[in-house]
Amino acid sequence: MRFLHTSDWHLGRSFHRVGLFEAQAAFLDHLVATVRDREVDAVLVAGDVYDRAVPPLPAVELFDRALHRLAEAGVETVMISGNHDSARRLGVGAGLLGRAGIHLRTDPDGIGTPVVLADAHGEVALYGLPYLEPALVRERLGVARSGHEAVLAAAMDLVRADLAARPAGTRSVVLAHAFVAGGAPSDSERDITVGGVAAVPTAVFDGVDYVALGHLHGSQALTGRVRYSGSPLAYSFSEADHRKTMWLIDLGADGEVAAAERVDCPVPRPLARLRGRLDDLLADPAHERHRDSWIEATLTDAVRPQDPMARLTERFPHTLNLVFEPERADTDSLASYAQRLRGRSDRQIAEDFVSHVRAGGLDAAERTVLYGAFDDVRVEAATTEREADR
């Protein structure tokens, strides 16, 4: 059976204030064409269909057209909600859409109920695990302690229990939206860590033949059977070196991944990160190949130049982001605030701040309180969203 694994469409998102509607429409055209040209049996969409809980109308219309085209192509589609999606909104009409071959899995209560497809070698059970916010689903899943690993383990127990009751030789696929250990993140993913725990182990997904992951925006294989498709478009300059693709997966007769191919996505405009003194960036002939790229320029001039953005856009018309990192000694206390915080999580920044103002680090109990405050804020936001959906 052949699957096309994709995720993290983030419909409605922009890139440094540049609209991406046309680029996202081109990707969906490409997805439907790939389904037809490569004789795909099922499309797997592993969450973050939209960029926010209440997406703009053009994004909803784009999504609606994509569903109609996939249904017309006669391909089964299994789709889960991600941490950016409103599960209740995305799941509206799931019963009716399922009759057209569009299977929306947004409710944790449906984790143990797969979409069952069949080919010449027998049945394949596809289980959708929507994004599981631990504090909101812990009781429903019967989990004693809160945490992504605990709730995902409980969800996978439901999957394995259902699978065990099916005929011998039934193959299995799981869709999940999570941060799994070994994955390489980028700057454009929203933090979903709980209690400071950044990732869950791949062993959580033991017992199934293929795991289609969403959340991280870089395409990557954690193991031969556990893979992230990544986002189809770049959503931050940290993804400048990404090759944006979908996974074309052939599942063999015995459940083995017989073939895994990366199918390239259309690139609306390449990304480039340039660094150096302004005059050097404007004069260096090696940068000519980036004239039509979206540019993030990091200026290292000791003194901020006059009108740097205007001068840069004369050579690089699509410059979108400007960063200042003056060349100074490593011990210079005047290093930019942005430079000192780059690559650090909100929790790390807060912990460093507390340590700085009282000239001492946090003990384990204090760290638990601090991390708990971050978790409470995230849960409150998720709860508010859920109440608004009712």
Side-chain angles (χ1 to χ4, degrees), residues 134 143 145-156 194 197 199-201 203-204:
V143 176
R145 58 188 179 84
S146 182
H148 282 297
E149 183 176 351
V151 296
L152 278 171
M156 284 302 301
V194 175
V197 179
V200 300
V204 165

Side-chain angles (χ1 to χ4, degrees), residues 32-286:
V32 174
T34 301
V35 164
R36 296 181 183 276
D37 295 344
R38 303 300 298 270
E39 299 181 340
V40 170
D41 296 302
V43 175
L44 314 178
V45 187
D48 280 356
V49 175
Y50 292 120
D51 189 55
R52 55 183 183 267
V54 184
L57 183 58
V60 178
E61 293 173 339
L62 192 60
F63 177 64
D64 181 62
R65 290 201 299 271
L67 295 190
H68 277 83
R69 295 171 67 190
L70 289 170
E72 290 168 359
V75 64
E76 301 287 331
T77 300
V78 183
M79 182 177 298
I80 62 173
S81 50
N83 61 298
H84 279 251
D85 299 309
S86 165
R88 289 177 61 86
R89 287 189 174 93
L90 185 64
V92 168
L96 288 174
L97 288 170
R99 299 177 188 177
I102 306 294
H103 307 280
L104 300 176
R105 291 295 186 263
T106 64
D107 188 343
D109 290 341
I111 286 172
T113 305
V115 176
V116 180
L117 307 180
D119 62 10
H121 305 292
E123 293 186 341
V124 180
L126 295 90
Y127 299 88
L129 278 58
Y131 171 68
L132 301 172
E133 175 58 52
L136 300 182
V137 302
R138 179 172 63 84
E139 293 184 0
R140 294 170 70 178
L141 293 176
V143 176
R145 58 188 179 84
S146 182
H148 282 297
E149 183 176 351
V151 296
L152 278 171
M156 284 302 301
D157 285 343
L158 295 174
V159 168
R160 285 185 284 263
D162 179 84
L163 189 59
R166 294 188 175 276
T170 299
R171 290 161 290 166
S172 55
V173 173
V174 163
L175 290 76
H177 195 86
F179 187 2
V180 180
S186 60
D187 291 345
S188 55
E189 298 116 6
R190 185 181 294 168
D191 183 14
I192 60 172
T193 58
V194 175
V197 179
V200 300
T202 56
V204 165
F205 299 103
D206 285 352
V208 296
D209 297 313
Y210 184 73
V211 182
L213 293 175
H215 180 57
L216 299 185
H217 289 182
S219 178
Q220 50 200 298
L222 305 186
T223 71
R225 64 178 188 87
V226 181
R227 298 170 186 263
Y228 280 101
S229 66
S231 60
L233 299 171
Y235 292 117
S236 72
F237 276 103
S238 66
E239 301 167 55
D241 295 329
H242 285 191
R243 175 187 166 195
K244 295 301 183 181
T245 63
M246 302 176 284
W247 282 111
L248 192 67
I249 301 294
D250 287 343
L251 197 65
D254 296 325
E256 77 281 8
V257 177
E261 176 187 345
R262 293 178 70 181
V263 178
D264 289 292
C265 297
V267 178
R269 191 177 296 279
L271 273 58
R273 304 178 95 171
L274 307 182
R275 180 184 181 88
R277 295 181 176 89
L278 177 59
D279 289 342
D280 294 337
L281 296 183
L282 295 177
D284 191 342

Side-chain angles (χ1 to χ4, degrees), residues 318-362:
H318 305 288
T319 301
L320 299 182
N321 195 38
L322 195 56
V323 180
F324 293 96
E325 292 186 2
E327 291 179 339
R328 297 188 176 109
D330 291 342
T331 57
D332 193 335
S333 62
L334 299 179
S336 74
Y337 182 71
Q339 181 179 356
R340 285 184 278 121
L341 298 188
R342 178 163 297 161
R344 304 185 65 76
S345 70
D346 291 342
R347 286 183 177 83
Q348 290 172 320
I349 294 168
E351 187 171 345
D352 288 349
F353 173 77
V354 174
S355 299
H356 172 72
V357 296
R358 73 178 197 183
L362 282 72

